[in-house]
Amino acid sequence: TGAAYIDVSARKRVETALAQRVEERTAELRHATELQRAILSFAGTAIISTALDGTVRTFNPAAERMLGYAAEEVIGKVSAEVFHDPQELVLRAAEFSSRLGEQIEPGFDVFVACTRQGLPNECEWTFVGKDGTRIPVLLSVAPVRDEGGAILGYVGMASDITIQKRVEENLRQSEEKMREANAEMIHALKVKDEFLANMSHELRTPLNAIISLSETLAEELIGPLNKRQRKFNQTIIDSGHHLLTLINDILDLSKIEAGRTELKIAPIDIEVLCMASIRLVKEQ
């Protein structure tokens, strides 16, 4: 009788301990479930989980807002591929088939092929909403495994990158406009250089004749000059040489812009320079 009493007492203690452990485990599971529900409800990222065949199992509020479907419309009823552009699926199937070395058909397998091989699976995709709106997203796909490591399904998290794509497009357009502006500027500089070269040639021709005839007069090869005539003639010569220098300076500006300028440092007679300048403005 004493042994039986001890056996019953021990059994009760074990049952009590098991019941307590079950209660604790149940509380843990309840807490985990509530935490999962809170994460799904308040996450700003669209979270969609699927079965192995792609059938939607979880569709959180962020996914509802992004795609326009109510959770009850899709959970257990459709495959996740219905949220995607069919043509994009065909293109990605060909791309992943080439990259992974296996034939991938356009469908749900396109999203999970990398995941099945243990490779990173984050790509840009185009979601298509219930009303046909196209939404660029960054989609990450990961497997859902049991305790033994077997894959039970998949979970995808999608972030709307509409603003990012808009910024990238604006940047691309700005760069294109900048390239066009640079091309126009280069063309304008080329036209300017050609104009300056032609203008300089056209100006030099009559100017050389003026300087040459004036110097001939100064040498009195065609007759003597009085003092006043020599003074006026010298002003013509100096002005002609000054104009020729200005023409050369204009061409030097083009050389400076092209980085082809060569500076030559040399002594100069300041008095001669000043007197030449005075003669140009003296009459004024």
Side-chain angles (χ1 to χ4, degrees):
T1 304
Y5 175 78
I6 294 173
D7 182 63
V8 171
S9 177
R11 187 167 63 249
K12 286 183 177 180
R13 286 198 301 271
V14 171
E15 290 175 351
T16 300
L18 287 174
Q20 184 178 357
R21 181 57 184 157
V22 169
E23 185 178 347
E24 291 175 353
R25 182 59 176 165
T26 301
E28 290 176 359
L29 291 174
R30 187 181 299 111
H31 175 72
T33 301
E34 292 299 327
L35 178 61
Q36 181 187 50
R37 185 178 294 113
I39 291 173
L40 290 174
S41 298
F42 296 103
T45 301
I47 300 175
I48 304 171
S49 70
T50 71
L52 289 173
D53 63 356
T55 303
V56 176
R57 284 180 170 176
T58 304
F59 199 77
N60 77 332
E64 291 180 312
R65 291 191 298 271
M66 179 183 289
L67 291 164
Y69 293 95
E72 56 268 21
E73 291 182 85
V74 296
I75 293 177
K77 299 177 182 178
V78 300
S79 174
E81 65 188 84
V82 302
F83 308 132
H84 291 263
D85 179 357
Q87 185 60 35
E88 189 174 50
L89 285 176
V90 172
L91 295 175
R92 289 293 178 85
E95 177 188 337
F96 290 168
S97 295
S98 175
R99 184 195 304 176
L100 301 177
E102 64 174 279
Q103 184 61 37
I104 301 173
E105 296 300 325
F108 183 71
D109 281 350
V110 177
F111 306 110
V112 298
C114 292
T115 301
R116 284 201 304 262
Q117 294 194 15
L119 300 174
N121 194 352
E122 184 176 72
C123 300
E124 290 186 11
W125 287 92
T126 303
F127 273 0
V128 180
K130 185 177 181 179
D131 62 357
T133 302
R134 298 172 66 85
I135 310 144
V137 298
L138 184 64
L139 176 63
S140 300
V141 179
V144 178
R145 301 180 185 272
D146 62 14
E147 293 181 356
I151 297 178
L152 301 176
Y154 302 93
V155 60
M157 292 181 288
S159 301
D160 188 340
I161 57 173
T162 300
I163 295 177
Q164 176 184 330
K165 300 300 288 185
R166 188 178 299 133
V167 170
E168 290 175 355
E169 177 61 19
N170 290 339
L171 181 60
R172 187 195 64 78
Q173 292 180 2
S174 297
E175 291 175 346
E176 181 63 27
K177 290 179 180 179
M178 187 176 297
R179 282 193 293 270
E180 293 175 358
N182 287 338
E184 292 176 359
M185 182 179 67
I186 292 172
H187 176 70
L189 290 175
K190 182 179 179 181
V191 171
K192 185 202 71 174
D193 290 342
E194 291 175 353
F195 169 75
L196 290 177
N198 293 333
M199 182 194 71
S200 300
H201 174 73
E202 296 299 328
L203 288 176
R204 277 198 180 104
T205 300
L207 188 56
N208 286 332
I210 293 172
I211 294 174
S212 177
L213 290 175
S214 299
E215 290 176 343
T216 299
L217 289 173
E219 294 173 2
E220 298 186 344
L221 296 177
I222 56 175
L225 299 176
N226 59 38
K227 183 177 180 180
R228 187 180 183 192
Q229 289 172 333
R230 280 196 298 274
K231 179 180 177 182
F232 289 165
N233 191 62
Q234 187 60 47
T235 299
I236 294 174
I237 294 173
D238 292 342
S239 298
H241 281 295
H242 180 69
L243 185 55
L244 190 60
T245 300
L246 290 177
I247 295 173
N248 291 332
D249 287 345
I250 292 174
L251 292 177
D252 285 342
L253 287 176
S254 298
K255 292 180 180 179
I256 291 172
E257 292 176 350
R260 300 195 305 266
T261 306
E262 293 183 5
L263 296 179
K264 295 182 180 179
I265 309 301
I268 187 171
D269 190 328
I270 298 298
E271 183 179 0
V272 172
L273 177 64
C274 291
M275 293 305 298
S277 300
I278 289 172
R279 278 195 297 270
L280 293 175
V281 297
K282 184 176 181 182
E283 298 302 325
Q284 298 177 8

